[in-house]
Amino acid sequence: MNFTMHIDLSKQKILVTGASRGLGKAIAEQLAASGAQVAVHYHRNYEAANRVAKSIGHNAQCFQADLCKPVEVIQLFANITAEFEKLDCIINNAGVSLRTDPEGTDIDWSDNWSRNMLINLHSVGLLCKKAIAHFKERGGGRIINISSRAAFRGDTADYMGYAASKAGVVALTRSIARAYGKEGIKAFNIAPGFVRTDMADVFIKQYGEAYAVDDIALPQLTEPKDVAPMICMLASGLADHATGCTIDMNAGSYVH
């Protein structure tokens, strides 16, 4: 039975960052299958984002922004709310995983650390700030942030900057849930492990697929389509009393 038959998002307008490919694309597809109008954010690849928007329908539209630049993040939210008139949910999916090799130069380490933080944490915080103000005016809304198992168990030395940025997302989300729940604003974390995307492929090429698979309880890596249905359910309001929680979509990484 099709999961989406049980979820009706036909009245919802939802932003998904990094939705031109990978996990963000799968999320956008799942939301639209349940009737949502999706704002498909992208950085550089308009053609890919436009293909997603056209394929999922429901008046989905593309919106560009470089999440490293706060002024573009602010403008992104303004452009979407001007076009859509409202947002019911934002899904902060876009992210990078840049090496912060302790054996590298200080400048390279610092540059990659900063870029991890800008995209994975700073832009997420800024979009959450804009969403909170918007939701308070409208009586509530939902924020779903994509963190990582690395926020809880750490990562390799090469990717400690990535892990630190994702740990910040967890604290941010929990703080929003605590501070704004009585104003109708719910916030959730999803903590994937390796998901078969372009970003994970960089790590897999460096360490090998066996490293990734041996580290989980299931026999195969998580696919984007394995994560998207949970996000669709959280957006629906069916799990609002889980606000502040982290849902571990990482193939049993902590119990293996």
Side-chain angles (χ1 to χ4, degrees):
M1 186 175 291
N2 189 342
F3 173 83
T4 57
M5 291 174 62
H6 300 278
I7 302 290
D8 181 9
L9 301 178
S10 57
K11 296 181 180 180
Q12 289 213 34
K13 301 184 179 186
I14 301 176
L15 162 63
V16 182
T17 64
S20 65
R21 61 178 184 166
L23 179 56
K25 177 176 179 287
I27 294 168
E29 291 170 342
Q30 189 79 59
L31 295 171
S34 289
Q37 182 181 10
V38 180
V40 177
H41 160 261
Y42 69 99
H43 178 200
R44 293 191 181 95
N45 197 337
Y46 168 75
E47 289 76 14
N50 190 48
R51 284 195 298 271
V52 173
K54 287 186 178 299
S55 68
I56 65 177
H58 297 284
N59 296 312
Q61 296 184 42
C62 302
F63 297 87
Q64 189 276 337
D66 181 350
L67 299 184
C68 272
K69 300 177 180 178
V71 66
E72 293 195 21
V73 176
I74 295 166
Q75 192 61 52
L76 171 68
F77 197 88
N79 290 343
I80 295 169
T81 51
E83 188 66 31
F84 280 23
E85 296 183 352
K86 67 159 188 168
L87 277 173
D88 300 286
C89 177
I90 69 167
I91 300 167
N92 285 304
N93 162 76
V96 294
S97 180
L98 301 176
R99 293 182 66 191
T100 44
D101 183 357
E103 304 302 320
T105 70
D106 292 345
I107 295 301
D108 287 344
W109 186 95
S110 181
D111 285 349
N112 281 357
W113 177 278
S114 296
R115 190 168 176 84
N116 276 319
M117 293 297 169
L118 279 169
I119 295 176
N120 296 349
L121 182 57
H122 191 279
S123 73
V124 172
L126 188 50
L127 282 172
C128 286
K129 176 185 183 297
K130 301 299 294 182
I132 288 165
H134 181 74
F135 293 158
K136 286 173 72 173
E137 292 178 352
R138 305 193 61 84
R142 296 178 185 88
I143 294 168
I144 304 170
N145 291 329
I146 308 301
S147 180
S148 171
R149 70 175 189 178
F152 300 94
R153 50 174 265 170
D155 212 318
T156 64
D158 286 354
Y159 291 94
M160 61 176 66
Y162 170 77
S165 69
K166 291 299 188 177
V169 170
V170 174
L172 167 68
T173 309
R174 290 176 175 172
S175 299
I176 292 168
R178 287 171 57 88
Y180 296 103
K182 288 185 169 61
E183 296 179 73
I185 299 172
K186 281 73 67 174
F188 311 90
N189 277 309
I190 300 288
F194 288 111
V195 180
R196 197 177 291 281
T197 63
D198 291 346
M199 188 170 79
D201 281 347
V202 174
F203 187 98
I204 290 168
K205 286 176 181 176
Q206 182 180 353
Y207 287 92
E209 183 156 340
Y211 178 96
V213 174
D214 289 348
D215 205 31
I216 61 177
L218 297 180
Q220 65 280 327
L221 289 182
T222 305
E223 302 281 347
K225 63 181 176 61
D226 298 320
V227 181
M230 180 63 72
I231 294 169
C232 189
M233 186 185 73
L234 293 175
S236 74
L238 290 172
D240 278 352
H241 280 261
T243 188
C245 80
T246 298
I247 299 176
D248 298 309
M249 303 289 292
N250 51 47
S253 291
Y254 309 142
V255 298
H256 182 54

